[in-house]
């Protein structure tokens, strides 16, 4: 089946406002395996923070490595000023055994790792061994011998060359069987480990190089540090010497908040990607004074108390973080510090005043909602103290009354209506904002958005958030955000790496499940790093030369969504094509963004008003055989954005756009003496 469409672009009427590059931002949150996937450390429970999981008192992901019948394990208090716990291992001389701990890990190679261990030992123990071994073959991939120099706690560092990649390695830290023996009596044969980590030499600011390499082309503009966990996060626990930072329980998502990715590491991450940082403050269990200190830590001179602390931590120059968000989904009963809109508005006002007292130049985002009953009190009470009202837009089929038993095509069509819902949410918020001069300056920031195919229940199989269909819906939603870029200045796709269901960069084949946590894959390819189809969309959009939006009219067919539940928007005639267009700064090139969200091919003609094309057009296409297609560790580039040259005449005759696909068309004018003709 094929239908025809005509797309008319009026190139003589560019919008007065410019598109903010922060519209293409991203979002990092300590949720599920986000940090584990993003950071370069291959080991977990590096500070022995987790409870024992087996019969022996061995922490978390570690397990006993010994052939001694009488080897004893215990968990004790950590070294002075350290967090987590210490792992004690006692080896009996009569066993003449090796004894220590081990953990499974995926290793890159050939690669040199920095080994960092904090240890103490009874005086007769002279050295320990750290081995990297292939678990399947027992091949030794790397070994380092570390001399023990003190009965007291001491930090040791060494280099571990690993010979090759190994998806299923075992890291062993132990006293070998051929170590000289000792007499068994009080205080002999004991080894305490307080910290064990490995860090590959190619890390960039503790982040996997592959993640940085994938994130750079996203051209994000802005990176948001926030999420549910931030409402119980105390920033001062995440700065200073990393081993002395306390372990914090992740009250939102369970497990441990990563102390290895605090403020300084986040800023370094943003600097590497050349993006603007956006930081959310803890307004749930924190105070306005605590938030103000965070602003001072980031922006204060070294003459201020917190600026001096930053300098003492190795960063004398201020970070000059401009964008600060107060409140993350405070309206939700899952959020630490949830409260009524009136209560939050008063809190937001107090936080804004305290934070701006430290730095009056900062830009404040206040927690908004898609519900006008929340937004109105927030604007009325705190509106004059904020610059942006935030929204989180998650589009799932629960709002349609659909479930897994609904035919897949009907579910897909429902998800493809994402921009229609966004349009209504923006209009409602805009009406409230413009209703009163004291807050009419406020703009909108969509600080989280994504598809949410399944209702919030235990997932089965692959999340649909990874499909081509999800990419189509997210692209159409971005089109709506671009059309309303006069009001919407900031966007943050949720999430960047693994973590939530739709992290656009995937490390290995881990799939999140809201209530059950991460489920490790079985592929044997945990080192594979790739992008989802939505990653391709986000990269495509963020790298187009669009400065101002142009009026577009698309005459095309429609489709209907058979919703079992009454919805607040009409679903009887949803346009097949979702189209927006923009022009660059000097008017020499236009870019047309077309999403064919229908289940059939559409032959599209272009009608360009007040624009004479020169040369061929460049067409970027994201497509596949089915809206259910995904990228995976087995086929990491199954869905890929591919460019091609298309003659202008092909668009005049009608160019075929494949079903459930995303396109960017770049069209140029003739240049004369550096000026567009």
């Amino acid at each position: 089946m094929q239908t025809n469409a005509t797309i008319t672009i009026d190139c003589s009427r560019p919008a007065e406002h410019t598109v903010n590059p922060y519209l293409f931002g991203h979002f990092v949150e300590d949720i599920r395996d986000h940090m584990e996937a993003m950071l370069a450390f291959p080991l977990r429970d590096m500070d022995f923070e987790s409870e024992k999981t087996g019969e022996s008192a061995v922490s978390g992901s570690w397990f006993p490595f010994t052939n001694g019948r009488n080897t004893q394990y215990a968990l004790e208090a950590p070294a002075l000023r350290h967090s987590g716990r210490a792992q004690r291992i006692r080896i009996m001389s009569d066993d003449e055994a090796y004894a220590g701990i081990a953990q499974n890990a995926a290793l890159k190679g050939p690669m040199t790792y920095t080994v960092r261990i904090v240890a103490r030992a009874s005086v007769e123990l002279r050295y320990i061994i750290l081995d990297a071994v292939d678990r399947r073959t027992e091949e030794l991939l790397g070994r380092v011998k570390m001399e023990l120099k003190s009965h007291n706690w001491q930090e040791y560092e060494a280099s571990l060359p690993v010979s090759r990649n190994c998806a299923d390695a075992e890291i062993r830290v132990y006293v070998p069987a051929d170590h000289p023996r000792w007499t068994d009596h009080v205080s002999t044969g004991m080894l305490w480990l307080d910290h064990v980590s490995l860090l590959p030499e190619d890390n960039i600011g503790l982040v996997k190089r592959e993640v940085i390499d994938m994130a750079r082309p996203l051209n994000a503009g802005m990176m948001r540090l926030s999420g549910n966990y931030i409402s119980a996060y105390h920033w001062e626990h995440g700065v200073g010497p990393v081993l002395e930072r306390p372990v914090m329980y992740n009250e939102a998502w369970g497990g441990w908040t990563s102390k290895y990715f605090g403020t300084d590491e986040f800023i370094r991450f943003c600097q590497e990607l050349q993006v603007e940082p956006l930081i959310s403050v803890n307004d749930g269990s924190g105070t306005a004074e605590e938030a103000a200190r965070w602003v001072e830590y980031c922006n204060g001179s070294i003459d201020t108390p917190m600026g001096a602390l930053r300098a003492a931590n190795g960063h004398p120059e201020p970070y000059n973080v401009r964008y600060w968000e107060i409140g993350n989904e405070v309206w939700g009963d899952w959020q630490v510090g949830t409260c009524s809109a009136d209560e939050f508005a008063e809190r937001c006002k107090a936080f804004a005043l305290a934070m701006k007292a430290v730095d009056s130049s900062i830009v404040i985002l206040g927690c908004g909602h898609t519900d006008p009953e929340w937004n109105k009190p927030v604007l009325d009470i705190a509106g004059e103290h904020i610059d942006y009202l935030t929204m989180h837009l998650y589009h799932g089929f629960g709002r349609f009354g659909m479930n897994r038993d609904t035919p897949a095509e009907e579910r897909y069509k429902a998800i493809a209506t994402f921009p229609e819902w966004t349009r209504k949410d923006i209009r409602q918020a805009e009406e409230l904002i413009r209703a009163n001069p004291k807050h009419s300056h406020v703009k909108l920031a969509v600080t989280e958005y994504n598809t949410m195919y399944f209702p919030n229940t235990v997932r089965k199989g692959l999340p649909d958030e990874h499909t081509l269909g999800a990419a189509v819906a997210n692209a159409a939603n971005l089109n709506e955000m671009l059309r309303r870029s006069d009001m919407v200045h900031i966007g943050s796709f949720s999430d960047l790496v693994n973590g939530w269901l739709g992290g656009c960069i995937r490390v290995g084949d881990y799939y999140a499940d809201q209530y059950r946590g991460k489920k490790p894959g079985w592929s044997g390819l945990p080192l594979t790093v790739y992008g989802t189809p939505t990653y391709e969309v986000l990269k495509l959009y963020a790298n187009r030369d669009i400065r101002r939006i142009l009026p577009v009219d698309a005459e095309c067919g429609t489709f209907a969504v058979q919703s079992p539940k009454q919805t607040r928007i009409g679903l009887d005639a949803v346009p097949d094509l979702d189209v927006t267009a923009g022009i660059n700064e000097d008017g020499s090139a236009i870019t047309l963004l077309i999403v064919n969200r229908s289940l059939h091919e559409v032959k599209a003609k272009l009608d360009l008003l007040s624009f004479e094309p020169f040369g061929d057009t460049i067409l970027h296409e994201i497509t596949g055989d089915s809206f259910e297609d995904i990228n995976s560790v087995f086929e990491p580039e199954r869905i890929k954005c591919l460019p091609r040259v298309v003659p202008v005449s092909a668009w005049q005759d009608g160019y075929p756009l494949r079903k459930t696909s995303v396109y960017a068309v770049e069209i140029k004018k003739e240049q004369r003496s550096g000026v567009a003709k």
Side-chain angles (χ1 to χ4, degrees):
M1 177 182 175
Q2 184 188 69
T3 60
N4 297 321
T6 300
I7 301 171
T8 304
I9 310 169
D10 188 347
C11 304
S12 68
R13 295 169 52 211
E16 292 184 4
H17 74 276
T18 57
V19 176
N20 194 320
Y22 302 158
L23 195 66
F24 307 105
H26 284 263
F27 170 38
V28 296
E29 176 182 6
D30 200 332
I31 174 175
R32 303 302 185 214
D33 65 332
H34 190 297
M35 291 301 171
E36 183 179 311
M38 188 171 82
L39 298 183
F41 299 103
L43 295 176
R44 299 173 297 281
D45 286 314
M46 296 183 289
D47 301 289
F48 307 100
E49 59 268 32
S50 295
E51 300 293 335
K52 68 173 187 174
T53 55
E55 292 183 6
S56 298
V58 178
S59 172
S61 302
W62 297 95
F63 51 86
F65 178 69
T66 183
N67 62 345
R69 293 182 303 166
N70 301 299
T71 303
Q72 298 172 357
Y73 293 89
L75 290 168
E76 297 183 356
L80 185 65
R81 295 187 301 278
H82 284 202
S83 61
R85 286 175 293 194
Q87 179 72 64
R88 173 162 58 84
I89 305 155
R90 186 170 191 188
I91 313 160
M92 298 303 174
S93 182
D94 289 346
D95 282 350
E96 297 185 356
Y98 60 83
I101 55 173
Q103 184 178 145
N104 300 338
L107 299 177
K108 299 190 294 185
M111 178 68 63
T112 299
Y113 284 78
T114 296
V115 177
R116 197 177 184 188
I117 290 178
V118 177
R120 62 181 293 254
S122 51
V123 295
E124 67 283 341
L125 292 185
R126 304 298 175 85
Y127 63 88
I128 56 174
I129 301 291
L130 187 145
D131 283 346
V133 177
D134 186 319
R135 292 183 67 238
R136 293 166 297 176
T137 65
E138 283 292 313
E139 175 191 350
L140 182 65
L141 306 172
R143 169 174 287 174
V144 61
K145 181 179 180 180
M146 305 180 77
E147 303 290 338
L148 297 171
K149 299 177 181 179
S150 177
H151 179 259
N152 208 345
W153 289 111
Q154 187 161 328
E155 185 175 323
Y156 300 91
E157 192 171 294
S159 293
L160 174 71
V162 172
S163 59
R164 62 170 175 82
N165 277 0
C166 184
D168 193 11
E170 186 171 289
I171 303 300
R172 301 166 177 171
V173 184
Y174 64 101
V175 176
D178 59 2
H179 187 290
R181 293 292 111 173
W182 50 89
T183 303
D184 273 332
H185 57 75
V186 175
S187 187
T188 56
M190 285 189 281
L191 171 69
W192 290 264
L193 299 170
D194 176 82
H195 170 87
V196 178
S197 65
L198 292 134
L199 187 65
E201 63 181 347
D202 69 343
N203 81 91
I204 301 177
L206 305 186
V207 177
K208 287 184 174 74
R209 176 172 291 276
E210 296 85 352
V211 168
I212 294 286
D213 290 343
M214 289 287 291
R216 286 193 206 280
L218 287 171
N219 194 23
M222 176 174 277
M223 190 66 65
R224 175 179 183 250
L225 180 70
S226 187
N228 288 357
Y229 89 102
I230 212 79
S231 294
Y233 177 79
H234 298 288
W235 71 269
E236 287 156 313
H237 294 176
V239 298
V242 69
L243 295 184
E244 296 181 16
R245 299 176 187 177
V247 170
M248 287 183 284
Y249 187 74
N250 191 324
E251 295 180 36
W253 300 108
W256 304 103
T257 297
S258 177
K259 69 180 188 179
Y260 295 90
F261 195 77
T263 303
D264 300 307
E265 290 78 19
F266 172 65
I267 298 298
R268 165 78 187 273
F269 184 60
C270 292
Q271 291 171 343
E272 287 289 343
L273 298 177
Q274 298 184 336
V275 298
E276 188 81 17
L278 164 61
I279 294 177
S280 288
V281 298
N282 174 3
D283 79 309
S285 65
T287 65
E289 293 74 21
E290 181 182 16
R293 289 197 301 274
W294 202 352
V295 174
E296 186 175 279
Y297 183 85
C298 290
N299 298 353
S301 71
I302 59 174
D303 298 326
T304 63
M306 293 300 101
L309 177 61
R310 183 193 65 245
N313 290 333
H315 308 281
E317 294 300 317
Y319 291 140
N320 297 319
V321 177
R322 292 188 62 225
Y323 290 82
W324 295 84
E325 186 174 357
I326 302 171
N328 179 82
E329 298 179 2
V330 186
W331 33 263
D333 58 9
W334 54 85
Q335 196 73 42
V336 172
T338 185
C339 61
S340 70
D342 293 82
E343 290 172 316
F344 170 72
E346 294 290 353
R347 184 195 302 172
C348 181
K349 178 180 175 180
F351 269 68
L353 288 171
M355 294 163 70
K356 285 199 171 186
V358 172
D359 184 349
S360 62
S361 70
I362 63 174
V363 177
I364 298 289
L365 289 71
C367 176
H369 197 7
T370 54
D371 184 357
E373 296 301 314
W374 173 274
N375 289 341
K376 189 176 187 307
V378 171
L379 289 167
D380 288 345
I381 297 170
E384 60 189 304
H385 302 283
I386 65 174
D387 302 284
Y388 287 91
L389 188 71
T390 69
M391 282 185 173
H392 291 178
L393 303 178
Y394 288 106
H395 185 56
F397 58 60
R399 62 177 34 154
F400 302 89
M402 297 179 176
N403 55 40
R404 292 189 187 91
D405 297 326
T406 305
E409 289 191 356
E410 286 301 318
R411 296 202 310 264
Y412 162 75
K413 287 193 293 182
I415 296 304
T417 66
F418 199 170
E420 277 71 21
W421 297 80
T422 296
R423 186 174 309 128
K424 189 170 183 64
D425 290 331
I426 292 172
R427 284 176 179 169
Q428 285 185 158
E430 182 182 23
E431 288 174 4
L432 288 174
I433 288 169
R434 298 194 187 283
N436 191 323
K438 78 173 185 178
H439 52 62
S440 60
H441 66 281
V442 171
K443 301 297 183 183
L444 292 175
V446 181
T447 50
E448 293 183 29
Y449 70 92
N450 200 347
T451 58
M452 255 181 123
Y453 255 72
F454 290 141
N456 286 343
T457 54
V458 176
R459 267 68 175 178
K460 295 179 180 179
L462 298 175
D464 286 348
E465 285 82 358
H466 297 191
T467 64
L468 174 61
V472 166
N474 281 314
N477 183 61
L478 266 173
N479 279 355
E480 185 61 29
M481 290 164 63
L482 281 164
R483 285 190 287 267
R484 292 311 321 274
S485 52
D486 59 324
M487 278 299 293
V488 182
H489 292 182
I490 293 171
S492 303
F493 179 77
S494 174
D495 277 340
L496 181 65
V497 186
N498 286 32
W500 190 247
L501 296 167
C504 68
I505 297 173
R506 308 302 300 177
V507 177
D509 55 346
Y510 281 63
Y511 297 107
D513 177 297
Q514 184 170 359
Y515 294 124
R516 302 299 182 190
K518 64 190 180 187
K519 294 190 175 181
W522 46 267
S523 68
L525 299 170
L527 296 171
T528 302
V529 181
Y530 63 96
T532 66
T534 294
Y535 169 89
E536 296 295 316
V537 165
L538 297 165
K539 183 173 67 172
L540 173 67
Y541 274 57
N543 287 285
R544 305 282 63 80
D545 189 8
I546 296 176
R547 185 66 171 164
R548 299 178 192 275
I549 297 301
L550 296 170
V552 175
D553 179 60
E555 297 180 6
C556 61
T558 62
F559 62 91
V561 178
Q562 304 302 317
S563 176
K565 180 179 177 181
Q566 185 174 358
T567 60
R568 60 188 177 93
I569 64 168
L571 300 172
D572 293 334
V574 182
D576 289 342
L577 301 184
D578 189 289
V579 187
T580 193
I583 194 165
N584 65 351
E585 184 62 43
D586 65 6
S588 64
I590 63 171
T591 300
L592 187 62
L593 298 164
I594 311 171
V595 182
N596 181 8
R597 45 187 178 166
S598 74
L599 290 165
H600 53 78
E601 185 177 274
V602 175
K603 194 173 184 180
K605 292 183 179 182
L606 297 188
D607 186 6
L608 305 177
L609 305 181
S610 304
F611 192 94
E612 291 294 330
F614 176 76
D616 296 324
T617 70
I618 304 298
L619 175 70
H620 304 266
E621 181 181 54
I622 300 171
T623 190
D625 295 330
S626 166
F627 61 82
E628 295 182 314
D629 284 353
I630 66 165
N631 292 337
S632 69
V633 289
F634 302 108
E635 294 181 274
E637 296 187 350
R638 184 176 184 179
I639 304 295
K640 190 81 174 173
C641 183
L642 297 174
R644 68 164 62 94
V645 175
V646 176
V648 171
S649 59
W651 292 106
Q652 295 167 345
D653 298 335
Y655 190 84
L657 305 175
R658 297 188 68 189
K659 64 181 181 180
T660 61
S661 299
V662 180
Y663 296 89
V665 187
E666 296 178 330
I667 309 169
K668 294 184 178 180
K669 275 185 178 180
E670 184 177 2
Q671 296 280 334
R672 287 189 178 180
S673 301
V675 179
K677 179 180 176 181

